[in-house]
PDB file of all heavy atoms in Angstrom:
ATOM      1  N   PRO I 243     -21.894   6.078   3.736  1.00  0.00           N
ATOM      2  CA  PRO I 243     -22.969   6.363   2.823  1.00  0.00           C
ATOM      3  C   PRO I 243     -24.275   5.693   3.272  1.00  0.00           C
ATOM      4  O   PRO I 243     -25.392   6.191   3.112  1.00  0.00           O
ATOM      5  CB  PRO I 243     -22.455   5.811   1.495  1.00  0.00           C
ATOM      6  CG  PRO I 243     -21.056   5.864   1.601  1.00  0.00           C
ATOM      7  CD  PRO I 243     -20.648   5.635   3.092  1.00  0.00           C
ATOM      8  N   LEU I 244     -24.122   4.358   3.743  1.00  0.00           N
ATOM      9  CA  LEU I 244     -25.391   3.594   4.146  1.00  0.00           C
ATOM     10  C   LEU I 244     -25.973   4.231   5.426  1.00  0.00           C
ATOM     11  O   LEU I 244     -27.232   4.318   5.511  1.00  0.00           O
ATOM     12  CB  LEU I 244     -24.980   2.135   4.446  1.00  0.00           C
ATOM     13  CG  LEU I 244     -24.689   1.288   3.179  1.00  0.00           C
ATOM     14  CD1 LEU I 244     -24.099   0.001   3.475  1.00  0.00           C
ATOM     15  CD2 LEU I 244     -26.041   1.136   2.349  1.00  0.00           C
ATOM     16  N   TYR I 245     -25.214   4.745   6.318  1.00  0.00           N
ATOM     17  CA  TYR I 245     -25.643   5.423   7.461  1.00  0.00           C
ATOM     18  C   TYR I 245     -26.474   6.613   7.071  1.00  0.00           C
ATOM     19  O   TYR I 245     -27.616   6.904   7.572  1.00  0.00           O
ATOM     20  CB  TYR I 245     -24.484   5.827   8.348  1.00  0.00           C
ATOM     21  CG  TYR I 245     -24.888   6.818   9.509  1.00  0.00           C
ATOM     22  CD1 TYR I 245     -25.647   6.425  10.606  1.00  0.00           C
ATOM     23  CD2 TYR I 245     -24.541   8.191   9.388  1.00  0.00           C
ATOM     24  CE1 TYR I 245     -25.994   7.328  11.565  1.00  0.00           C
ATOM     25  CE2 TYR I 245     -24.883   9.041  10.426  1.00  0.00           C
ATOM     26  CZ  TYR I 245     -25.641   8.670  11.512  1.00  0.00           C
ATOM     27  OH  TYR I 245     -25.958   9.478  12.509  1.00  0.00           O
ATOM     28  N   ILE I 246     -25.950   7.411   6.188  1.00  0.00           N
ATOM     29  CA  ILE I 246     -26.650   8.626   5.753  1.00  0.00           C
ATOM     30  C   ILE I 246     -28.000   8.277   5.017  1.00  0.00           C
ATOM     31  O   ILE I 246     -29.003   8.918   5.093  1.00  0.00           O
ATOM     32  CB  ILE I 246     -25.795   9.478   4.885  1.00  0.00           C
ATOM     33  CG1 ILE I 246     -24.687  10.098   5.785  1.00  0.00           C
ATOM     34  CG2 ILE I 246     -26.621  10.656   4.241  1.00  0.00           C
ATOM     35  CD1 ILE I 246     -25.073  10.903   6.897  1.00  0.00           C
ATOM     36  N   ALA I 247     -27.911   7.155   4.153  1.00  0.00           N
ATOM     37  CA  ALA I 247     -29.054   6.745   3.469  1.00  0.00           C
ATOM     38  C   ALA I 247     -30.214   6.172   4.291  1.00  0.00           C
ATOM     39  O   ALA I 247     -31.399   6.323   4.005  1.00  0.00           O
ATOM     40  CB  ALA I 247     -28.628   5.671   2.358  1.00  0.00           C
ATOM     41  N   LEU I 248     -29.731   5.454   5.365  1.00  0.00           N
ATOM     42  CA  LEU I 248     -30.782   4.691   6.042  1.00  0.00           C
ATOM     43  C   LEU I 248     -31.037   5.108   7.535  1.00  0.00           C
ATOM     44  O   LEU I 248     -32.138   4.933   8.098  1.00  0.00           O
ATOM     45  CB  LEU I 248     -30.375   3.206   6.014  1.00  0.00           C
ATOM     46  CG  LEU I 248     -30.292   2.540   4.682  1.00  0.00           C
ATOM     47  CD1 LEU I 248     -29.686   1.136   4.793  1.00  0.00           C
ATOM     48  CD2 LEU I 248     -31.642   2.535   3.970  1.00  0.00           C
ATOM     49  N   ASP I 249     -30.004   5.589   8.203  1.00  0.00           N
ATOM     50  CA  ASP I 249     -30.041   5.696   9.644  1.00  0.00           C
ATOM     51  C   ASP I 249     -29.888   7.109  10.158  1.00  0.00           C
ATOM     52  O   ASP I 249     -30.290   7.287  11.393  1.00  0.00           O
ATOM     53  CB  ASP I 249     -28.944   4.773  10.275  1.00  0.00           C
ATOM     54  CG  ASP I 249     -29.024   3.396   9.887  1.00  0.00           C
ATOM     55  OD1 ASP I 249     -30.284   2.817   9.914  1.00  0.00           O
ATOM     56  OD2 ASP I 249     -28.007   2.687   9.548  1.00  0.00           O
ATOM     57  N   ALA I 250     -29.312   7.989   9.576  1.00  0.00           N
ATOM     58  CA  ALA I 250     -29.043   9.367  10.072  1.00  0.00           C
ATOM     59  C   ALA I 250     -30.391  10.053  10.395  1.00  0.00           C
ATOM     60  O   ALA I 250     -31.337   9.875   9.702  1.00  0.00           O
ATOM     61  CB  ALA I 250     -28.178  10.199   9.091  1.00  0.00           C
ATOM     62  N   PRO I 251     -30.329  10.835  11.457  1.00  0.00           N
ATOM     63  CA  PRO I 251     -31.588  11.640  11.814  1.00  0.00           C
ATOM     64  C   PRO I 251     -31.888  12.548  10.620  1.00  0.00           C
ATOM     65  O   PRO I 251     -31.026  12.947   9.918  1.00  0.00           O
ATOM     66  CB  PRO I 251     -31.109  12.399  13.114  1.00  0.00           C
ATOM     67  CG  PRO I 251     -29.974  11.759  13.511  1.00  0.00           C
ATOM     68  CD  PRO I 251     -29.296  11.105  12.399  1.00  0.00           C
ATOM     69  N   ASP I 252     -33.115  12.953  10.585  1.00  0.00           N
ATOM     70  CA  ASP I 252     -33.549  13.851   9.467  1.00  0.00           C
ATOM     71  C   ASP I 252     -32.910  15.205   9.593  1.00  0.00           C
ATOM     72  O   ASP I 252     -32.875  15.921   8.678  1.00  0.00           O
ATOM     73  CB  ASP I 252     -35.116  14.111   9.547  1.00  0.00           C
ATOM     74  CG  ASP I 252     -35.818  12.787   9.041  1.00  0.00           C
ATOM     75  OD1 ASP I 252     -35.190  12.047   8.394  1.00  0.00           O
ATOM     76  OD2 ASP I 252     -37.050  12.723   9.281  1.00  0.00           O
ATOM     77  N   SER I 253     -32.350  15.535  10.808  1.00  0.00           N
ATOM     78  CA  SER I 253     -31.693  16.747  11.027  1.00  0.00           C
ATOM     79  C   SER I 253     -30.305  16.902  10.285  1.00  0.00           C
ATOM     80  O   SER I 253     -29.769  17.971  10.121  1.00  0.00           O
ATOM     81  CB  SER I 253     -31.487  16.982  12.498  1.00  0.00           C
ATOM     82  OG  SER I 253     -30.678  15.987  13.076  1.00  0.00           O
ATOM     83  N   VAL I 254     -29.824  15.772   9.807  1.00  0.00           N
ATOM     84  CA  VAL I 254     -28.485  15.726   9.083  1.00  0.00           C
ATOM     85  C   VAL I 254     -28.800  15.999   7.606  1.00  0.00           C
ATOM     86  O   VAL I 254     -29.263  15.212   6.864  1.00  0.00           O
ATOM     87  CB  VAL I 254     -27.777  14.354   9.271  1.00  0.00           C
ATOM     88  CG1 VAL I 254     -26.526  14.349   8.393  1.00  0.00           C
ATOM     89  CG2 VAL I 254     -27.520  14.026  10.746  1.00  0.00           C
ATOM     90  N   LYS I 255     -28.539  17.280   7.219  1.00  0.00           N
ATOM     91  CA  LYS I 255     -28.764  17.678   5.856  1.00  0.00           C
ATOM     92  C   LYS I 255     -27.827  18.757   5.531  1.00  0.00           C
ATOM     93  O   LYS I 255     -27.517  19.662   6.273  1.00  0.00           O
ATOM     94  CB  LYS I 255     -30.241  18.068   5.617  1.00  0.00           C
ATOM     95  CG  LYS I 255     -30.721  19.099   6.602  1.00  0.00           C
ATOM     96  CD  LYS I 255     -32.282  19.244   6.339  1.00  0.00           C
ATOM     97  CE  LYS I 255     -32.838  20.220   7.293  1.00  0.00           C
ATOM     98  NZ  LYS I 255     -34.303  20.279   7.154  1.00  0.00           N
ATOM     99  N   GLY I 256     -27.352  18.832   4.202  1.00  0.00           N
ATOM    100  CA  GLY I 256     -26.442  19.853   3.791  1.00  0.00           C
ATOM    101  C   GLY I 256     -25.140  19.672   4.575  1.00  0.00           C
ATOM    102  O   GLY I 256     -24.409  20.729   4.781  1.00  0.00           O
ATOM    103  N   GLN I 257     -24.689  18.509   4.884  1.00  0.00           N
ATOM    104  CA  GLN I 257     -23.544  18.278   5.701  1.00  0.00           C
ATOM    105  C   GLN I 257     -22.429  17.503   4.970  1.00  0.00           C
ATOM    106  O   GLN I 257     -22.578  16.933   3.865  1.00  0.00           O
ATOM    107  CB  GLN I 257     -23.841  17.484   6.973  1.00  0.00           C
ATOM    108  CG  GLN I 257     -24.900  18.124   7.903  1.00  0.00           C
ATOM    109  CD  GLN I 257     -24.392  19.389   8.576  1.00  0.00           C
ATOM    110  OE1 GLN I 257     -23.208  19.733   8.617  1.00  0.00           O
ATOM    111  NE2 GLN I 257     -25.241  20.200   9.101  1.00  0.00           N
ATOM    112  N   TYR I 258     -21.238  17.583   5.535  1.00  0.00           N
ATOM    113  CA  TYR I 258     -20.048  16.909   4.994  1.00  0.00           C
ATOM    114  C   TYR I 258     -19.684  15.815   6.047  1.00  0.00           C
ATOM    115  O   TYR I 258     -19.276  16.078   7.170  1.00  0.00           O
ATOM    116  CB  TYR I 258     -18.928  17.878   4.843  1.00  0.00           C
ATOM    117  CG  TYR I 258     -17.567  17.381   4.371  1.00  0.00           C
ATOM    118  CD1 TYR I 258     -17.507  16.690   3.073  1.00  0.00           C
ATOM    119  CD2 TYR I 258     -16.399  17.571   5.029  1.00  0.00           C
ATOM    120  CE1 TYR I 258     -16.256  16.262   2.616  1.00  0.00           C
ATOM    121  CE2 TYR I 258     -15.143  17.121   4.550  1.00  0.00           C
ATOM    122  CZ  TYR I 258     -15.122  16.433   3.350  1.00  0.00           C
ATOM    123  OH  TYR I 258     -13.867  16.029   2.885  1.00  0.00           O
TER     124      TYR I 258
END
Side-chain angles (χ1 to χ4, degrees):
L244 287 169
Y245 167 71
I246 295 301
L248 300 171
D249 302 315
D252 286 344
S253 57
V254 179
K255 52 187 177 182
Q257 301 291 344
Y258 179 57

